[in-house]
Amino acid sequence: MTALRRSLLLAGLALLAPIATASAPSRAAATEPVPPVTASDRVLGRADAPVTVIEYASFTCHHCADWHQFVFPLFKQRLIDTGQVRFVFRNLPTDPEQLSMPAAALARCAATDKFFDVASVLMSGQAALLRGGKQEDWYDPAIAASGRTRAQIDACVNLPATRTALQRDIDGAIAADATTTPAFFVNGRRVTDRSLGGLEVAVRAAAAAR
């Protein structure tokens, strides 16, 4: 096992206990609003865009991979690049957690302006991994796209700040009752239709309601 793979695995395993604890509250508990965007979030688009779309996703969720490969490029072209939407990606790791947790840590440790490049690589490589591919073959292209060296990624995934940032995403998802991935919130309201058309309708409605 390479040093980097070992570090990523240990980082993922270290997160398992607090996540299991965070998942314990009853589904009957009152749902809180989706947490506001902060400087620690990974964001695409204009800061002053009239609509904010927040996605909770996992790098081992095949629905998330499908969305990022087939819907996101047009979503970005039509809504983010035109200044209508500020898009926020938050991690909500799913089974198998021994894969999703390290991937979330790796992406988090990328240079901020390379985060979405790394997310794209991880999403596009997911199918091969889940068919039995090697973790190294999934990680290596993501590290190459990260704007960081292997040593920098290795050090970062074990930092308390990385753990805290990922836990913040997870706790926020649980508080907002985002129990499946991908989960989308448009100006704070949950949208269950994740198709391009469904999200466009939600974005237009949110802009009109301002």
Side-chain angles (χ1 to χ4, degrees):
M1 181 182 288
T2 65
L4 177 60
R5 181 181 175 187
R6 187 182 303 110
S7 294
L8 288 168
L9 179 59
L10 290 174
L13 291 175
L15 280 165
L16 290 178
I19 287 168
T21 301
S23 300
S26 168
R27 290 284 303 279
T31 301
E32 300 177 13
V34 63
V37 179
T38 71
S40 71
D41 277 306
R42 297 301 185 249
V43 180
L44 273 182
R46 285 172 31 191
D48 62 348
V51 177
T52 295
V53 176
I54 296 174
E55 178 195 16
Y56 286 95
S58 169
F59 290 116
T60 56
C61 156
H62 73 274
H63 294 299
C64 301
D66 286 347
W67 192 85
H68 274 269
Q69 290 181 83
F70 304 117
V71 179
F72 182 70
L74 280 175
F75 179 90
K76 180 178 182 295
Q77 181 183 32
R78 293 187 187 183
L79 298 172
I80 300 173
D81 294 347
T82 57
Q84 299 176 68
V85 163
R86 175 178 60 163
F87 181 77
V88 181
F89 182 106
R90 290 176 177 168
N91 285 286
L92 183 55
T94 56
D95 291 336
E97 290 178 330
Q98 68 269 26
L99 297 177
S100 62
M101 297 290 190
L106 192 164
R108 180 75 198 180
C109 287
T112 303
D113 64 343
K114 299 295 185 180
F115 174 86
F116 285 94
D117 294 335
V118 171
S120 177
V121 169
L122 290 170
M123 291 298 189
S124 64
Q126 180 202 110
L129 174 75
L130 298 182
R131 287 196 300 266
K134 295 180 180 179
Q135 284 177 270
E136 288 90 344
D137 292 340
W138 193 39
Y139 294 146
D140 287 352
I143 295 165
S146 71
R148 305 288 192 205
T149 65
R150 286 177 177 271
Q152 288 172 325
I153 295 290
D154 191 15
C156 175
V157 296
N158 291 297
L159 290 175
T162 301
R163 176 179 177 142
T164 297
L166 295 178
Q167 189 66 55
R168 187 186 303 116
D169 281 1
I170 294 160
D171 289 345
I174 293 168
D177 200 28
T179 56
T180 59
T181 54
F184 292 94
F185 293 84
V186 177
N187 275 5
R189 297 188 63 179
R190 179 73 180 268
V191 174
T192 57
D193 185 349
R194 60 177 180 259
S195 69
L196 180 61
L199 288 168
E200 283 183 318
V201 167
V203 167
R204 287 197 295 270
R210 292 179 76 245

